[in-house]
Amino acid sequence: MTRRLGALALVAVLLAGCGSLGGSGSGGDPSPTTPSAVMVTAANDGGTVTAHVGDLVQIALGVQFSWTLEAPDGAVLARPVAQNYLLVRGTQAIWIAKSVGTSTIRATGGAVCASGQPCPLFAVLFTATVNVVP
């Protein structure tokens, strides 16, 4: 019996959280939407991806190389004001498509080497264009 009451209480709490975020008046604004995520991967090297203003642009070049990204331009692509999440393995950054325009993502990859071990010196260059539309 106690288990059943606990399950009912849980269902009630979950249903209470399903209310609308719009205003309580008639014709309230629609609920805000979660931004979409646009993935930029090593396969996009030399190519172009399209994002909409407000989208998150996830740069996930993998773990085969140790990647260093150039900072975003700040006008079209920008770093989030507060990053309250951890990046998954293989993701180098998540930026925000801030305004309409075109921006270039540039990264340099080097060898992944264990600490204190000899490491070959080479560079792998990555470039992709992000076209941000309204």
Side-chain angles (χ1 to χ4, degrees):
M1 180 75 166
T2 305
R3 218 171 160 180
R4 184 175 175 179
L5 288 176
L8 288 173
L10 178 62
V11 169
V13 169
L14 291 174
L15 289 175
C18 292
S20 170
L21 293 176
S24 60
S26 63
D29 293 332
S31 298
T33 59
T34 303
S36 297
V38 175
M39 182 82 72
V40 177
T41 67
N44 298 114
D45 190 19
T48 301
V49 297
T50 301
H52 291 87
V53 172
D55 283 353
L56 298 176
V57 178
Q58 180 177 352
I59 301 149
L61 302 177
V63 296
Q64 182 179 5
F65 301 108
S66 176
W67 291 102
T68 303
L69 288 173
E70 287 185 13
D73 61 21
V76 176
L77 294 177
R79 288 186 173 118
V81 175
Q83 182 175 330
N84 56 358
Y85 48 83
L86 296 174
L87 298 176
V88 296
R89 183 179 153 105
T91 294
Q92 286 68 39
I94 297 177
W95 296 339
I96 296 173
K98 189 174 174 182
S99 65
V100 173
T102 301
S103 185
T104 302
I105 297 171
R106 290 184 182 87
T108 304
V112 177
C113 301
S115 179
Q117 297 296 315
C119 195
L121 295 176
F122 64 87
V124 176
L125 303 178
F126 173 88
T127 303
T129 302
V130 178
N131 185 27
V132 179
V133 297

